[in-house]
Amino acid sequence: MSEAQKYVWKGSIPLQIHLHESEVTTLPPPPPALVLAPRIGYLPLLISLLKPHFSTTLPPGVDTIWYIPTGVLFDLLCMEPERPWNLTVHFRGYPSNLLLPCEGEDSVKWSFINSLKEAAYVITGNCKNIMNMSQTDQVDLWGSVLNGNLESYSRVSSKLKLETFEDEYTENIDSASTKSQQSTGDAEAAGQVKTSRIPVRLYLWTVNDNFDDFEDAPVIDNWDKVSYINRPVEIHKEDGKYFSLSNAVKRLLPEYFPESSFANEGDANINQSAEEEGENSCDPESSGHTVEIAEIKCVRIQGIEPSLEIPFSWVVNNLMNPEYFLHMCVCLKVSEANAMQ
Amino acid sequence: MFNPSFPPWLWIPCPKYHLSSSHKVEGPEYEANHYDFHIVYSPSYRVPVLYFRSYYSDGQPLSLSEIEKDLPGYSAELLLESKWTFITQEEHPYLNRPWYKLHPCGTRDWMKLLLSDTYTSSNKNFIEQYLVSWFSVVGQVVGLKTSLEMLNIVG
């Protein structure tokens, strides 16, 4: 349990929730509800807070993009953070062709459990530890998420044995170098390269305009403008190789970064790549070099935009959601000629 | 090779290729229920996953209880027992719309059983044979038959 994880679990977003005018049945209309929503929670779980505020006649479910954590929705839909975040409640005219229905807390719970199974499969190659979870542990785990209880969550989740990375960057220099020598020997003896798979849920938003400030960014006014998919990052642990957040994003998006590979160390630094490309523009060998067709404008995780040079292992160990997915909101600038969407 | 069957499977161009097919089922009141099936690759599970949606002739979507009536008996039973982990409604990975999904977490294990004695990955037709074998199991869950044409190609 790290300091960063505590901050993530305490993360919350101020919401101002309005009743849509078509739903108002009293005069004057009820004032908006002010709610502090947990980042790692889900919007339908707020219904218990809304009922006493608006009316006891509210229907049981909330129809929204309910299976994505609240914090991720905020990061995506408020590129320039809006505080409080204004949401409107509707209870009629449900767009069943656009949004998944939600049957209350059970839907959210099982969506969480199924995501956890998928993450377990990515990490270990099977779902057995999740399938074999006792009823008590399952209740405790879900209760921890409902209540934002990191201590309780850590106790139960440690039984699942879903380690992704050893935390390499919290050790001191001496032990790190010693360990490095040992693992070099181990690698030579075993003749194996250890591979990790990291569960990532990638939310991709592409733009072709230039903008320096997100105030000038085009607004995501249509959910279809965001494409998102569960796509694992596969990493080989090799001594001396540095795997950054930038490397991870490029490996996740080979259709935009075709040159990204384990061997291409130039990817580690965007500016360095640009400079090298400039320097080598007269080099005959580089004339056939494929040009990257996109630029990473922004990577947002748990409400922060980490440096692209940060070690990916730190990001994974500290910023994952409770269902063991790293939710990454990525904004790419794609040149108009190459835009795929 | 996976295509010589009825209704035909088509490759749909999109960021990742997937296969889709439409199928008509006669309902108990002789009104046709329409089904679209998509086979989509899951990078997490590294196996194909079957997605489907269903609607009446007028385009109205079928409810899950209506779909249950169209399923083979054993699938309908399993749906009652394991509502949350067998067939659930999720967003289609490429269409961003609600579709039903057959949960794939056991696929790799039973595909290993199906293929272990017969094929190796160096076989030229491995991918086609994999997909036909996969379909011979998954298709039964939703009442789709494996056509003789598919079997002839594999044999």
Side-chain angles (χ1 to χ4, degrees):
Chain A
M1 189 186 311
S2 69
E3 201 67 22
Q5 275 179 314
K6 291 179 185 175
Y7 279 116
V8 165
W9 273 69
K10 288 182 191 170
S12 54
I13 297 170
L15 305 180
Q16 184 161 251
I17 302 178
H18 308 259
L19 197 57
H20 190 261
E21 58 189 9
S22 66
E23 306 287 349
V24 174
T25 56
T26 63
L27 285 177
L34 296 171
V35 175
L36 210 55
R39 262 190 165 272
I40 59 168
Y42 300 86
L43 287 173
L45 303 179
L46 303 174
I47 195 69
S48 59
L49 295 171
L50 295 180
K51 273 185 178 179
H53 184 88
F54 285 124
S55 166
T56 52
T57 63
L58 293 184
V62 174
D63 302 316
T64 178
I65 305 171
W66 51 267
Y67 46 89
I68 294 179
T70 303
V72 179
L73 288 174
F74 180 70
D75 291 345
L76 270 171
L77 300 176
C78 295
M79 272 293 161
E80 183 69 13
E82 174 188 325
R83 297 194 187 88
W85 189 20
N86 286 285
L87 300 181
T88 301
V89 173
H90 299 255
F91 297 113
R92 284 170 289 188
Y94 164 59
S96 61
N97 59 324
L98 296 179
L99 299 178
L100 285 170
C102 177
E103 300 174 29
E105 187 187 313
D106 263 3
S107 286
V108 184
K109 173 188 173 183
W110 280 103
S111 175
F112 175 87
I113 297 291
N114 284 328
S115 292
L116 185 60
K117 281 168 65 180
E118 185 166 350
Y121 195 98
V122 168
I123 297 169
T124 71
N126 66 71
C127 313
K128 284 167 189 163
N129 283 351
I130 314 301
M131 308 286 272
N132 296 334
M133 220 191 299
S134 70
Q135 186 67 26
T136 301
D137 280 343
Q138 201 176 92
V139 169
D140 285 350
L141 187 74
W142 178 239
S144 306
V145 175
L146 279 180
N147 299 313
N149 189 330
L150 176 55
E151 285 80 12
S152 166
Y153 171 83
S154 297
R155 197 183 322 120
V156 184
S157 63
S158 63
K159 301 182 188 182
L160 305 176
K161 298 188 169 67
L162 299 179
E163 286 84 29
T164 49
F165 279 115
E166 297 162 5
D167 208 331
E168 311 153 6
Y169 294 97
T170 54
E171 299 180 34
N172 60 53
I173 296 171
D174 289 340
S175 62
S177 63
T178 304
K179 184 177 173 183
S180 177
Q181 289 170 13
Q182 287 173 356
S183 53
T184 301
D186 290 345
E188 287 169 0
Q192 278 186 355
V193 176
K194 199 175 176 185
T195 301
S196 298
R197 293 183 91 219
I198 308 300
V200 171
R201 189 161 176 85
L202 182 72
Y203 304 81
L204 177 63
W205 173 43
T206 58
V207 296
N208 48 37
D209 303 315
N210 252 318
F211 54 88
D212 296 320
D213 196 325
F214 274 112
E215 283 178 6
D216 305 321
V219 175
I220 296 181
D221 54 7
N222 186 331
W223 186 243
D224 284 333
K225 288 185 178 177
V226 180
S227 63
Y228 51 96
I229 189 166
N230 295 350
R231 197 178 268 188
V233 178
E234 194 162 311
I235 303 163
H236 301 320
K237 291 180 181 175
E238 297 170 21
D239 286 318
K241 301 292 187 190
Y242 180 86
F243 197 73
S244 67
L245 175 60
S246 175
N247 292 144
V249 172
K250 293 182 174 183
R251 289 187 55 75
L252 282 163
L253 294 164
E255 61 266 41
Y256 292 102
F257 301 100
E259 288 304 299
S260 182
S261 68
F262 289 128
N264 191 346
E265 299 192 59
D267 283 340
N269 189 305
I270 293 177
N271 292 330
Q272 184 182 329
S273 282
E275 287 167 1
E276 283 178 352
E277 193 172 300
E279 288 168 9
N280 296 328
S281 60
C282 298
D283 189 334
E285 287 186 21
S286 69
S287 60
H289 198 268
T290 307
V291 177
E292 290 177 351
I293 59 180
E295 174 198 341
I296 301 174
K297 285 297 283 186
C298 168
V299 177
R300 195 173 280 181
I301 307 172
Q302 298 291 5
I304 62 175
E305 292 170 31
S307 162
L308 292 176
E309 298 320 304
I310 196 169
F312 187 58
S313 58
W314 185 92
V315 173
V316 172
N317 284 329
N318 292 282
L319 302 183
M320 254 178 174
N321 269 61
E323 86 285 20
Y324 279 83
F325 269 89
L326 183 70
H327 294 257
M328 298 174 66
C329 305
V330 177
C331 178
L332 291 186
K333 181 196 162 195
V334 182
S335 61
E336 201 152 331
N338 290 320
M340 295 184 176
Q341 297 180 17
Chain B
M1 277 195 185
F2 190 64
N3 275 341
S5 64
F6 180 84
W9 292 90
L10 305 171
W11 286 97
I12 304 294
C14 65
K16 297 292 180 185
Y17 288 98
H18 67 281
L19 293 155
S20 77
S21 176
S22 283
H23 197 70
K24 193 179 294 186
V25 175
E26 286 293 329
E29 278 126 41
Y30 304 103
E31 181 183 331
N33 294 344
H34 300 260
Y35 285 80
D36 293 334
F37 295 98
H38 284 190
I39 303 171
V40 182
Y41 179 70
S42 164
S44 293
Y45 288 101
R46 296 199 264 204
V47 294
V49 179
L50 187 74
Y51 285 82
F52 67 92
R53 67 175 175 179
S54 57
Y55 41 95
Y56 297 106
S57 296
D58 63 359
Q60 286 295 313
L62 270 73
S63 67
L64 190 55
S65 55
E66 293 293 319
I67 291 169
E68 198 177 308
K69 296 174 187 172
D70 286 337
L71 290 175
Y74 44 86
S75 294
E77 278 179 36
L78 191 50
L79 187 56
L80 283 177
E81 289 170 21
S82 316
K83 172 183 181 181
W84 298 105
T85 57
F86 174 42
I87 296 176
T88 56
Q89 217 176 2
E90 302 197 10
E91 276 207 3
H92 190 294
Y94 298 107
L95 303 181
N96 280 14
R97 292 292 184 272
W99 279 58
Y100 288 98
K101 166 186 174 182
L102 256 66
H103 278 239
C105 61
T107 301
R108 192 183 68 167
D109 293 333
W110 52 257
M111 283 302 297
K112 276 183 178 175
L113 294 177
L114 273 184
L115 297 175
S116 59
D117 293 329
T118 315
Y119 308 115
T120 62
S121 54
S122 61
N123 188 311
K124 285 183 181 179
N125 296 328
F126 179 73
I127 289 174
E128 285 78 12
Q129 287 161 346
Y130 180 102
L131 213 43
V132 172
S133 298
W134 174 88
F135 185 73
S136 70
V137 174
V138 171
Q140 292 185 56
V141 174
V142 292
L144 294 173
K145 306 299 183 187
T146 308
S147 71
L148 288 178
E149 287 79 9
M150 280 190 202
L151 294 178
N152 287 340
I153 289 168
V154 172

